[in-house]
Amino acid sequence: MKKLQIYFLGASETVTGSKFYLHSEEIKILVDCGLFQGVKELRKQNWESLPVDASQMDYVLLTHGHLDHCGYLPLLVRQGFRGKILGTGPTLEIARIILEDSAKIQEEEAERANEEKYSKHDPALPLYTKQDVAFTLKFFEQVEEGEEISLSDHCSVTFLYNGHIIGSTYLDMDLYGKRFVFSGDVGRQNDELLNPPKQPEWADYLFVESTYGDRNHPKENVEQILTELVKETLHKKGILIIPSFAVERLQSLMYQLWKLYKKNKIPNIPIFVDSPMGNNVLEVFKSFPNWHKLTSAEYRNMYNHINIVSSYAETWETIDDPRPKIVIAGSGMVTGGRVLTYIKQLAEMDSTSILLVGFQAEETRGRKLLEGATELKIYGKYVPIKAKVHHLESLSAHADQAELLRWMGSIKNVPEKVFLVHGEKSALDAYKNKVYEKFGWNCHIPKMHEVVEVIL
């Protein structure tokens, strides 16, 4: 009889900060290692050490490279982790890009806060530095999708394609003969750039994300909405700002806009991509052609159609450029990055439009914009919002309720336990009821820092 303790250290009754720790006598594994975003009380936890001993951990298994799944890694290493960080090739490359960018932004914001004296802390410090990230990267080790990897005598894991973003996987883990399945973030059935997710066939213990557990994505005509927004921007001689995640949504938006131009549905309006990280992610698409649907010709033509903004000086040149234009800039939930500069300078003009795409977590600036905020606090000052705000939910990289149910629907057995994670309370509650109604499975919604003991 073997005991396993499962610690829910993040993405529990909330969407961000994914961390699930499996602690047994034989092996100790952390599944994902993400930062909290949005709610201030959660963000404070980014500054705290984990309630478990990082130096004991043998492995971190990354489902994918988004910040809320990998952004805590340098802090884990600072706390003594010296094991292996496993992920697919694209995932490790995305994680590297995101961690380096995250450290750079944190260093810049700490410097700005100290210069402008708007932080309560004296001095303001970055959560981690570029040096911390460089040391963390030494523990990265690439795995192949679909290949079973032995982690210990009684534990193996397989990383399996699940859409969402390039490199993303779910985990199929065998531990003492029991099957543990971690969904990661499940992708869409019909994605412009990615194939549909693979599906698990057996799960004794299932950990499933519930970001959109309470709803289905609306049937939106994306082409028509984008066409109308571009025409409105031209008519108003204004700017269309699209805050976007640098991974996947940015490339998807570029592809959509390029297609509209090719079909003569929109004129050749200047499109600026102001996301150094997004530009680096484009290189990942080029390096891993088997992970997405774009041909090399489509990739090249799409890339040549846009203007890449490299430096902060070019950001200001773009703002000062008098032409009507589209700017796609990070971050997707308006929590940081270059998009803050555009909104700070241009959102009080009624010729400006802001298009939000995908999920906006609680208390992020993106959610506040969605909810009709008339001002936003940026770099310690309140900025009036007169820009028209639009939302395209169907461009989300997350499976909706129906797609999540479909993903789980291939499981042939009745799991011993289903844990619903990575969702806000309303989504978790709704999805719990839906899973019971559809499959007759009882689900558990773990609380933050809850520990569940399993006998294997």
Side-chain angles (χ1 to χ4, degrees), residues 161-163 187-191 194-198 293 406:
Y161 188 99
N162 74 341
R188 309 293 306 279
Q189 277 298 311
N190 298 298
D191 191 287
L194 302 176
N195 294 312
K198 291 182 179 178
K293 295 178 183 176
R406 175 179 175 154

Side-chain angles (χ1 to χ4, degrees), residues 393-408:
E393 205 172 306
S394 60
L395 277 182
S396 170
H398 282 272
D400 62 15
Q401 186 191 77
E403 289 167 322
L404 284 170
L405 290 167
R406 175 179 175 154
W407 183 80
M408 291 166 62

